[in-house]
Amino acid sequence: MYMRVLWVVNIPCLGLGELLGLPRERAGSGGWLVAAIKEFEKKAGVELAIVSTAPITDVRKKQEYNITYYLLGGGWPVQYSFKEENNIRQWQQILDEFKPDLIQLWGTEFPHAMAAINAAKGVPSLIYVQGIKGAIARYYLGGMTPEELKSSRTWKTILFRKGIRDKQKEFYKHAQFEKEIFEKADYVIGENDWCEANCLLLNPNIKYKESHLPINKVFFAHKWKLKEMQRHTIFCNASGYPVKGTHMLLKALAIVKQKYPNVILNIPGISAWDKADYKVRTEGYYSFLHKQIKALDIADNVRFLGMISHEEMANYIERANVYVMSSCIENHSSSLIEAMCVGAPCISSMVGGVHNFVEHKRNGLLYRYDEYPILAKYIMDLFESDLMCEELSRNALATVKMARLSYSPYEELSQIYKSIKRD
């Protein structure tokens, strides 16, 4: 069954990146999207158009394999105006040219998704859920106390109203048009109970489809081994804002240090203080983290890695004694699943859809997000028990195999597309 499917994406990766003169793969984000695109290259049955927006004025186009890449003007997705007449015309232009049977939105976080679904005009629309802004907004402060929020304020956050509470308000604002996108969409793809419940909350009539998150193949090429790991090292999920829970993990680290003074926490996504540019140094949450590190006396135990590639991330996970996912809200947590694909001993906060994939004390350890003393205990338990590390690793790999995550996402997605076409 031949279909033409238009994907609306947030990240200028692969062919989109090349249209801007950027690297094909962007460090630190979008691994699932790159994995999905590569699975559709050279496959018969589905012809793709992949579209995003950028701060350009013209429409740019690139053909590669059976994929057409379109880059539209109007600004980056986060800044996009879906009401601008020229932006509307550009969307109509590519829809008239490509004539899709289906439009798939990879996430509803940004306004360009609204422009796409408004332009659809009768073409079935499908949302692939990455995160849900409204849910993130509710938990945005990540359990930070009033004193901690006050400590996070800098001249920039005050002058430009870019503090943590200001950014929470931005998420609530985005959640308004996210709800409208859900109300206009016909179908949605998710993979766990949390996702389904929140999608139906936004639109009780939307048709729910299930598919596993595409995983970059690099994480299947690395395998955690007890003899090759670096003792007393921790690797965690990216940590750009309070939702990721880095401040809670640092509190746990301070407890672990009392018994293991040589413990090292490797944190991706944030540059080291002395290397960070002026703008980053004055970001409220980053500033707070550095103050917290100093107050907890753990400066020698924390390494900020900055933006790293998927290959580098897989290497860090492979060598870690423990992987920790410390978020206060997640849909599926791609980084946790990637760590399980490598086979690292994993600890995760019990949030969102995590419980659909992680079973406590079988293929990972689960704790309540704000209970950082329990997190510290579990880290030390794994430091002290090679047997537990190996058991969690073995069962994590078995879970990944059972969930067929190493198989082609092309098969699952193309079956969903066929069922929609039959509808």
Side-chain angles (χ1 to χ4, degrees):
M1 185 182 294
Y2 176 78
M3 287 191 71
R4 298 167 68 86
V5 182
L6 187 146
W7 285 2
V8 180
V9 304
N10 303 333
I11 302 167
C13 60
L14 300 179
L16 290 176
E18 289 182 334
L19 285 170
L20 283 171
L22 299 173
R24 284 180 63 81
E25 295 191 35
R26 185 176 159 191
S29 63
W32 62 91
L33 179 59
V34 171
I37 293 172
K38 288 184 175 180
E39 286 294 335
F40 276 80
E41 290 179 346
K42 304 179 183 178
K43 293 280 176 66
V46 178
E47 183 179 349
L48 285 184
I50 299 178
V51 189
S52 193
T53 66
I56 57 177
T57 55
D58 56 333
V59 175
R60 300 180 187 179
K61 179 180 176 182
K62 176 184 174 68
Q63 188 73 36
E64 191 171 79
Y65 305 115
N66 63 329
I67 299 175
T68 305
Y69 293 93
Y70 290 99
L71 200 59
L72 311 186
W76 298 117
V78 68
Q79 307 156 330
Y80 196 79
S81 171
F82 58 86
K83 296 179 180 179
E84 184 80 29
E85 287 189 14
N86 188 53
N87 294 345
I88 295 169
R89 279 195 298 268
Q90 288 186 350
W91 280 102
Q92 198 57 59
Q93 176 185 332
I94 62 164
L95 286 169
D96 291 342
E97 180 179 317
F98 186 69
K99 295 182 174 58
D101 300 303
L102 175 68
I103 293 178
Q104 178 172 320
L105 309 177
W106 283 86
T108 54
E109 294 95 332
F110 301 122
H112 73 323
M114 178 72 83
I117 204 164
N118 285 342
K121 294 181 180 176
V123 179
S125 52
L126 168 67
I127 296 170
Y128 196 113
V129 178
Q130 293 172 177
I132 295 179
K133 283 273 186 176
I136 295 172
R138 292 199 301 273
Y139 297 98
Y140 190 89
L141 302 182
M144 291 179 68
T145 65
E147 292 76 16
E148 289 172 335
L149 289 168
K150 185 177 179 180
S151 174
S152 73
R153 290 190 294 182
T154 67
W155 70 266
K156 180 186 173 184
T157 65
I158 296 169
L159 188 61
F160 297 104
R161 296 184 179 179
K162 291 293 183 181
I164 292 174
R165 289 191 183 277
D166 296 307
K167 292 189 175 182
Q168 182 186 34
K169 290 176 183 176
E170 289 179 11
F171 269 72
Y172 275 119
K173 182 178 178 180
H174 283 200
Q176 294 174 7
F177 66 74
E178 177 183 62
K179 187 176 191 308
E180 189 176 341
I181 291 171
F182 266 89
E183 289 171 346
K184 292 180 178 181
D186 302 300
Y187 301 87
V188 64
I189 291 177
E191 64 170 339
N192 57 63
D193 297 342
W194 181 91
C195 183
E196 183 175 6
N198 280 274
C199 290
L200 293 175
L201 180 65
L202 291 167
N203 179 359
N205 299 315
I206 203 165
K207 297 174 184 176
Y208 187 82
K209 303 284 185 179
E210 190 167 305
S211 178
H212 292 107
L213 183 74
I215 300 296
N216 194 309
K217 288 187 180 297
V218 69
F219 295 100
F220 298 104
H222 292 258
K223 285 291 175 285
W224 182 91
K225 297 181 181 66
L226 182 70
K227 293 180 180 179
E228 296 176 10
M229 74 171 184
Q230 296 177 349
R231 296 266 174 193
H232 308 157
T233 59
I234 305 164
F235 187 78
C236 67
N237 54 318
S239 33
Y241 60 137
V243 167
K244 297 299 181 180
T246 307
H247 54 290
M248 291 292 184
L249 178 53
L250 292 177
K251 293 176 184 179
L253 182 68
I255 297 172
V256 174
K257 181 183 177 178
Q258 295 174 19
K259 188 171 184 180
Y260 296 93
N262 66 334
V263 62
I264 295 294
L265 170 62
N266 290 305
I267 304 178
I270 302 178
S271 298
W273 181 262
D274 56 347
K275 296 178 183 178
D277 61 36
Y278 190 70
K279 180 181 177 182
V280 170
R281 281 193 312 224
T282 54
E283 284 290 340
Y285 185 62
Y286 295 171
S287 177
F288 166 70
L289 290 181
H290 285 288
K291 290 176 184 176
Q292 186 184 30
I293 288 168
K294 185 177 180 180
L296 293 171
D297 191 25
I298 52 175
D300 293 336
N301 307 94
V302 178
R303 294 176 184 164
F304 290 114
L305 306 178
M307 300 301 288
I308 59 177
S309 69
H310 300 119
E311 179 70 35
E312 290 171 320
M313 191 174 297
N315 278 323
Y316 274 107
I317 295 171
E318 183 181 14
R319 297 196 303 269
N321 197 158
V322 179
Y323 169 87
V324 176
M325 199 290 288
S326 57
S327 297
C328 68
I329 189 64
E330 287 282 353
N331 175 13
H332 35 231
S333 180
S334 58
S335 61
L336 171 62
I337 296 173
E338 288 161 355
M340 293 178 73
C341 290
V342 174
C346 292
I347 302 173
S348 174
S349 53
M350 190 166 59
V351 296
V354 166
H355 72 280
N356 282 97
F357 206 71
V358 181
E359 184 180 338
H360 184 53
K361 293 190 176 181
R362 192 184 74 81
N363 57 5
L365 299 176
L366 296 172
Y367 72 99
R368 200 177 83 175
Y369 164 75
D370 55 353
E371 294 283 4
Y372 60 88
I374 297 293
L375 171 57
K377 176 190 183 303
Y378 286 161
I379 291 170
M380 292 187 286
D381 286 348
L382 290 177
F383 283 178
E384 292 162 10
S385 176
D386 290 352
L387 188 64
M388 186 185 297
C389 286
E390 289 190 302
E391 183 180 2
L392 294 182
S393 173
R394 183 170 56 252
N395 290 335
L397 292 171
T399 301
V400 167
K401 186 175 181 180
M402 188 180 302
R404 297 175 60 85
L405 291 185
S406 59
Y407 292 74
S408 169
Y410 171 83
E411 299 300 329
E412 285 191 347
L413 287 174
S414 60
Q415 287 301 317
I416 289 173
Y417 298 161
K418 288 175 183 177
S419 72
I420 291 173
K421 190 164 187 177
R422 284 194 297 269
D423 287 348

